[in-house]
C-alpha cells in the first residue's frame, strides 16, 4: 500500500486543492514504486478524445445515468490496470468537467 500526503490547506474552500495535491503525491509515490508500468504506456493520457466527446454529449443532453455508468466503467477499468492510471483518469475527469462547467458559465462550488 502507498499513501500520499499533499500540501496542507486551510478551510473548506481549499478542499479541491488539498485533495488534488494528495492524489498527485500518491500517484508519484506509486510511480516511483512501479516504473515498469510507465514504460508499458501508463504515462500517456488515459482519457481519450473520443471518450471526452462521449462524456460531453451525455452532460449536454442531460443523460446522467449514461454519464454515471460510463464514468464508473472507465474508473473500474483504469483501477484494474494500475493505481497510476486510476489517479490520472480522476485528474483528467476533473479537468474535463471543470472545463465544461467553465464553458457553460457554471461556477463549481468549492
Amino acid at each position: 500500500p502507498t499513501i500520499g500526503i499533499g500540501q496542507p490547506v486551510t478551510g473548506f474552500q481549499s478542499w479541491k486543492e488539498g485533495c488534488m495535491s494528495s492524489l498527485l503525491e500518491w500517484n508519484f509515490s506509486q510511480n516511483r514504486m512501479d516504473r515498469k508500468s510507465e514504460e508499458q504506456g501508463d504515462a500517456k493520457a488515459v482519457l481519450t478524445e473520443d471518450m471526452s466527446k462521449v462524456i460531453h454529449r451525455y452532460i449536454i443532453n442531460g443523460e446522467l445515468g449514461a454519464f454515471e455508468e460510463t464514468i464508473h466503467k472507465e474508473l473500474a477499468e483504469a483501477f484494474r490496470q494500475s493505481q497510476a492510471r486510476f489517479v490520472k483518469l480522476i485528474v483528467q475527469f476533473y479537468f474535463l468537467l471543470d472545463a465544461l462547467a467553465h464553458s457553460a458559465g457554471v461556477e463549481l462550488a468549492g
Side-chain angles (χ1 to χ4, degrees):
T2 59
I3 61 169
I5 300 174
Q7 298 296 315
V9 296
T10 304
F12 187 70
Q13 295 291 344
S14 301
W15 78 268
K16 284 192 291 190
E17 290 79 16
C19 184
M20 293 299 287
S21 176
S22 294
L23 283 172
L24 290 172
E25 182 57 36
W26 176 63
N27 186 34
F28 292 144
S29 296
Q30 181 64 28
N31 282 339
R32 286 189 291 268
M33 293 173 56
D34 191 14
R35 293 286 180 201
K36 194 172 207 177
S37 68
E38 271 191 19
E39 293 169 6
Q40 296 173 351
D42 255 357
K44 66 181 180 180
V46 180
L47 184 61
T48 65
E49 186 176 335
D50 288 340
M51 185 53 61
S52 294
K53 290 177 183 178
V54 168
I55 291 169
H56 183 258
R57 186 177 69 241
Y58 287 153
I59 291 173
I60 295 298
N61 294 334
E63 300 175 51
L64 297 182
F67 168 77
E68 288 179 25
E69 184 178 322
T70 300
I71 297 292
H72 185 270
K73 179 183 167 196
E74 292 295 316
L75 287 173
E77 177 61 23
F79 188 76
R80 187 187 66 74
Q81 292 179 17
S82 75
Q83 288 180 343
R85 285 184 73 81
F86 180 71
V87 171
K88 288 174 186 176
L89 186 59
I90 289 172
V91 172
Q92 289 173 355
F93 277 149
Y94 171 80
F95 288 130
L96 172 65
L97 295 174
D98 189 55
L100 291 173
H102 180 71
S103 68
V106 175
E107 184 175 329
L108 297 180

